[in-house]
Amino acid sequence: MSPRYLSAAVVLLVVGFTSIASAQRGGRGVRPTGDSSVTDPELLGLHKEFVSKAEKLAAEYERKKNLDGAREVYESMTRLIPEYEAAQLGLKRILNAQSTQDRKVVEVQANRDWQDTQIIIVKGNPVHIEAKGTWIVVNETDADGLVIPKEMDPKNNKIKLGTLIGMIVSQPDVSKLKPFPIGNGTDFIAPETGRLVLRMFDVEPRDNKGSMSVLVQSTFGRP
């Protein structure tokens, strides 16, 4: 089956099962989807048919290394049947595979502005980042940065001085983009697709010293 037809099958399954759930809520006093008290033989049969087809579809996606497709199916199953353990485990397995499929280690210099990692982060994919080493900004610190007394920080920044920060560049005007703290490590689901850039958090970095070794793991986009 081609990817286009597989995607169409996902949509049909989700639409069909959503209709079932709506019927359960609106008719014959039957409780919402997933409730073990549902005893109507026809509804139970439809439940089983959906689960069976969805699991086969997810397995076919996984076999073809289509992690996005498999993830979509498992996410649909967990939304409609939150307590279904097999779907939960399948989704966890796919997220783990996506977070470790590609990896790259880059060096981030303390005395430079934004530094391009040449990594394309893809919207919706899990991302794992961890940093090792120390650098100097006023004092030596790791990637978590230094705590600055409030009286010395007129802008009252929530990000500590010397913290490793990142930004996903998805548009030419970077002034509209919001940096996020990374510190010694972070895990997140990419909110958008773009190139990952990194730097030390400091207004004027040129007098800083040292560098940080940063590991990035995810399923990277291709240029």
Side-chain angles (χ1 to χ4, degrees):
M1 186 182 294
S2 70
R4 188 179 71 177
Y5 291 119
L6 285 172
S7 297
V10 172
V11 173
L12 289 173
L13 285 171
V14 172
V15 170
F17 203 64
T18 302
S19 300
I20 296 168
S22 299
Q24 289 176 314
R25 287 191 288 270
R28 294 186 293 178
V30 180
R31 296 184 180 182
T33 302
D35 195 311
S36 59
S37 65
V38 175
T39 57
D40 186 293
E42 292 185 12
L43 288 176
L44 287 173
L46 288 172
H47 287 195
K48 292 178 181 179
E49 181 181 2
F50 167 78
V51 170
S52 176
K53 289 183 177 180
E55 287 185 322
K56 288 180 181 178
L57 188 59
E60 184 169 356
Y61 272 131
E62 287 195 66
R63 181 175 60 80
K64 294 183 176 181
K65 306 299 182 182
N66 185 345
L67 299 181
D68 287 336
R71 178 178 173 180
E72 182 180 358
V73 177
Y74 286 127
E75 285 179 335
S76 297
M77 293 175 71
T78 56
R79 281 196 298 268
L80 295 171
I81 318 174
E83 69 276 22
Y84 188 47
E85 186 176 5
Q88 294 173 355
L89 293 174
L91 180 57
K92 183 177 180 180
R93 183 173 62 253
I94 295 301
L95 288 174
N96 182 66
Q98 286 190 316
S99 69
T100 59
Q101 180 168 323
D102 297 320
R103 57 180 286 151
K104 184 177 181 179
V105 177
V106 297
E107 289 292 321
V108 180
Q109 303 299 321
N111 62 355
R112 291 175 54 194
D113 206 322
W114 289 109
Q115 297 158 59
D116 190 352
T117 65
Q118 302 294 317
I119 293 171
I120 298 176
I121 299 297
V122 179
K123 182 178 180 179
N125 280 353
V127 182
H128 172 77
I129 304 177
E130 58 183 73
K132 294 182 179 180
T134 60
W135 46 23
I136 298 175
V137 50
V138 182
N139 292 312
E140 186 176 69
T141 180
D142 60 13
D144 274 346
L146 300 169
V147 176
I148 300 298
K150 290 184 178 180
E151 59 271 18
M152 296 178 62
D153 186 10
K155 293 185 178 181
N156 194 24
N157 287 300
K158 294 182 179 180
I159 302 177
K160 293 183 291 184
L161 179 67
T163 299
L164 174 67
I165 61 175
M167 191 162 60
I168 300 174
V169 180
S170 56
Q171 55 183 319
D173 187 359
V174 296
S175 65
K176 295 181 179 180
L177 301 176
K178 186 177 181 180
F180 57 91
I182 296 173
N184 287 324
T186 186
D187 292 274
F188 61 94
I189 300 297
E192 56 191 335
T193 296
R195 194 177 294 271
L196 177 67
V197 296
L198 304 172
R199 65 167 292 178
M200 175 199 278
F201 180 67
D202 189 12
V203 175
E204 177 48 70
R206 286 184 296 180
D207 58 349
N208 299 329
K209 297 179 180 179
S211 64
M212 201 66 57
S213 178
V214 182
L215 167 68
V216 183
Q217 290 183 311
S218 185
T219 297
F220 302 156
R222 303 293 177 246

